[in-house]
Amino acid sequence: MDETTTRAYILLHNVSKKHNVGTLTRIATAFNVTTIVLTGNAHYNVFGCQGASAYAKFVHKRTLEDAVRWLKEDCACEIVGVEIDESAVPLPDARHAWCGEQPNVRSRAFFMGNEGHGLSEREISLCDKLVYIPQYGVGSTASLNVAVAAGVVLSAFAEAAAFAQCNKQGAKFDVAERPRRTQTRGFAEDDEEREMRIQARRLAREKAAHGDDDDDIDNPPPSLDTLFSES
Amino acid sequence: MDETTTRAYILLHNVSKKHNVGTLTRIATAFNVTTIVLTGNAHYNVFGCQGASAYAKFVHKRTLEDAVRWLKEDCACEIVGVEIDESAVPLPDARHAWCGEQPNVRSRAFFMGNEGHGLSEREISLCDKLVYIPQYGVGSTASLNVAVAAGVVLSAFAEAAAFAQCNKQGAKFDVAERPRRTQTRGFAEDDEEREMRIQARRLAREKAAHGDDDDDIDNPPPSLDTLFSES
């Protein structure tokens, strides 16, 4: 891993809602997150990512501790939990600090809490830093949904890290040529199922390639459409 | 209207997806947007706003032109369209410019495009300025969903306008006492339906109070669960 290149990662632990990995993948791709690290129930679908999963890389670690170790040791990341907490830094302050590291902004993995109850004490204890998104006025909600929170945080980091901005042509961003697809596109539903199969194969290949001996090879991932309960 | 007080508004025209007004209301409330201006099919539900609609004020104007006129003349707003366009300013640059107006940051109404196809040419022509959210790296998606885009833009404006941040106590923001509720909370589903009825009554009251003679009083709003087509 080239430690002089700034990279952004997303760390997700036991994401429970059916569509969130897909939505987060789309956001991740927009803000130059190239790797999404999934732990625990690390089977996912890509519904809602509108093809963005063709660009994002998924890495699976069975335990959160494994994921944190990999991110710190192999990817030279600081683990940044996104959580409202006594010790958390307001995001604008964090952005200023990240900007101040230029031209060598450290890579960060943003640990997004599980929907509904945020990061647990154990999860917080694995973070190097915590940031929170300030809220304003008198009527704040207790939390923003995880996709909105990720968008706000990742856009701030992309700005601070001075990632290369996508060119836009008139009213559209240029989109890189999509990685080779093994089948042509058809109806949206069929395509989505196909995307899931491709992702499942990719996940299996990656797990093999990483020689992740923590993984339970006797229990392969179930089919993707049975992985999440609606909640 | 006190023109020295900076305010943030959201302008929505013909929002089509069932849950989006509720989700946007929650985001608006977090970032001190006190008024959401709805035009066209300005019937809405608040599913997904988790009670935030008790704080947000809704104003309905029948046409987009009426809404823009009201925002400019009565609220002293600049109309800022959120759209990828040749003439659009990157959000970080806009934020710096807004910060530069301190301590008298001008009020802004953020015009969020309809889901799927963004702002039309006619809609763009009604904006004073356009901003876009930069995307980074090679694999950008064509667009972020409207909730994520709103979160990114409104958090930037709240920061630049130096709105008073909510206090937080440990892991939670302080939430102001909720405005008087006419019925006690029950099951989530019942509560949601109740919230919708309350909102419908409020909308009717507001329309009466504003004497909005553009409204078609012979065609009262249909019941809230039939207002949106799933799309």
Side-chain angles (χ1 to χ4, degrees):
Chain A
M1 182 68 55
D2 174 9
E3 294 196 12
T4 64
T5 301
T6 308
R7 293 176 203 270
Y9 299 77
I10 292 177
L11 172 58
L12 298 173
H13 180 57
N14 276 342
V15 169
S16 61
K17 281 193 187 172
K18 189 167 183 173
H19 295 174
N20 276 351
V21 176
T23 305
L24 284 169
T25 303
R26 196 171 152 204
I27 297 165
T29 305
F31 297 123
N32 201 30
V33 173
T34 47
T35 305
I36 298 173
V37 182
L38 299 157
T39 69
N41 302 329
H43 311 300
Y44 56 94
N45 75 36
V46 292
F47 181 87
C49 75
Q50 303 201 344
S53 65
Y55 305 102
K57 182 182 165 194
F58 290 90
V59 167
H60 174 238
K61 299 289 171 183
R62 197 172 67 162
T63 72
L64 183 55
E65 286 74 10
D66 290 342
V68 167
R69 194 178 311 120
W70 181 75
L71 284 163
K72 287 186 170 191
E73 295 177 7
D74 292 10
C75 311
C77 275
E78 182 179 65
I79 311 291
V80 179
V82 178
E83 184 60 274
I84 303 162
D85 188 81
E86 202 77 64
S87 65
V89 175
L91 181 63
D93 296 1
R95 191 187 67 231
H96 289 304
W98 298 330
C99 279
E101 297 176 5
Q102 283 181 18
N104 294 309
V105 178
R106 186 168 174 194
S107 293
R108 259 90 187 183
F110 293 95
F111 188 5
M112 308 303 303
N114 201 330
E115 310 85 341
H117 44 76
L119 297 178
S120 68
E121 280 187 35
R122 171 183 157 240
E123 289 165 349
I124 286 177
S125 73
L126 291 167
C127 296
D128 298 310
K129 292 276 171 61
L130 294 173
V131 299
Y132 75 95
I133 298 166
Q135 297 191 16
Y136 303 84
V138 296
S140 289
T141 54
S143 66
L144 297 166
N145 80 46
V146 67
V148 174
V152 172
V153 170
L154 293 170
S155 66
F157 185 69
E159 179 188 342
F163 287 147
Q165 285 187 27
C166 295
N167 294 322
K168 62 184 183 66
Q169 302 217 347
K172 291 286 172 201
F173 286 108
D174 292 346
V175 173
E177 199 176 330
R178 184 183 288 266
R180 185 175 55 87
R181 178 179 289 278
T182 53
Q183 300 188 340
T184 53
R185 283 192 168 263
F187 290 104
E189 288 78 9
D190 292 342
D191 193 47
E192 216 153 67
E193 289 164 12
R194 195 177 301 130
E195 190 90 45
M196 290 180 195
R197 285 198 302 275
I198 292 168
Q199 290 294 332
R201 282 203 303 273
R202 178 183 301 182
L203 181 61
R205 274 200 309 275
E206 283 192 358
K207 284 161 82 169
H210 282 89
D212 191 342
D213 56 8
D214 278 334
D215 281 303
D216 189 350
I217 55 172
D218 293 320
N219 289 304
S223 75
L224 281 164
D225 52 359
T226 64
L227 289 170
F228 289 88
S229 58
E230 289 280 5
S231 58
Chain B
M1 183 67 57
D2 174 9
E3 293 193 16
T4 63
T5 302
T6 309
R7 292 176 204 272
Y9 299 77
I10 292 178
L11 172 58
L12 298 174
H13 180 57
N14 277 341
V15 168
S16 61
K17 281 195 187 170
K18 191 167 182 173
H19 295 173
N20 276 350
V21 175
T23 306
L24 284 169
T25 303
R26 195 171 152 205
I27 296 165
T29 304
F31 297 122
N32 201 30
V33 173
T34 47
T35 305
I36 298 174
V37 182
L38 300 157
T39 70
N41 303 328
H43 311 301
Y44 56 94
N45 75 36
V46 293
F47 180 87
C49 76
Q50 302 200 345
S53 66
Y55 306 101
K57 182 183 165 195
F58 290 91
V59 167
H60 173 238
K61 299 289 171 183
R62 197 173 66 163
T63 71
L64 183 54
E65 285 75 9
D66 291 342
V68 166
R69 194 180 310 121
W70 182 75
L71 284 164
K72 287 187 170 192
E73 294 177 6
D74 293 9
C75 310
C77 275
E78 182 179 67
I79 311 291
V80 180
V82 179
E83 184 60 275
I84 303 161
D85 188 81
E86 202 76 64
S87 65
V89 175
L91 181 64
D93 295 2
R95 192 187 66 230
H96 288 305
W98 298 330
C99 278
E101 298 176 6
Q102 282 182 19
N104 294 308
V105 178
R106 186 169 174 193
S107 293
R108 259 90 186 183
F110 293 96
F111 189 4
M112 308 302 304
N114 201 329
E115 311 85 343
H117 44 76
L119 297 178
S120 68
E121 281 187 34
R122 171 183 157 239
E123 289 165 348
I124 286 177
S125 73
L126 291 168
C127 297
D128 297 311
K129 293 275 171 61
L130 295 173
V131 299
Y132 75 95
I133 298 166
Q135 297 190 16
Y136 304 82
V138 296
S140 289
T141 53
S143 66
L144 297 167
N145 81 45
V146 66
V148 174
V152 172
V153 170
L154 293 171
S155 66
F157 185 68
E159 179 189 344
F163 287 147
Q165 285 187 28
C166 295
N167 294 322
K168 61 185 184 67
Q169 301 217 348
K172 291 287 171 200
F173 286 108
D174 291 346
V175 174
E177 200 175 329
R178 184 185 288 266
R180 184 176 55 87
R181 176 180 289 277
T182 53
Q183 301 188 338
T184 52
R185 285 192 168 265
F187 290 104
E189 287 77 10
D190 292 343
D191 195 46
E192 217 154 66
E193 289 164 12
R194 195 178 302 129
E195 190 90 45
M196 290 181 196
R197 285 199 302 276
I198 292 168
Q199 290 295 330
R201 283 204 301 274
R202 177 184 300 182
L203 180 60
R205 274 200 308 276
E206 282 193 357
K207 285 161 82 169
H210 282 89
D212 191 342
D213 56 8
D214 279 334
D215 281 303
D216 188 350
I217 56 172
D218 293 319
N219 289 304
S223 74
L224 280 163
D225 52 359
T226 63
L227 290 170
F228 290 87
S229 59
E230 290 279 5
S231 57

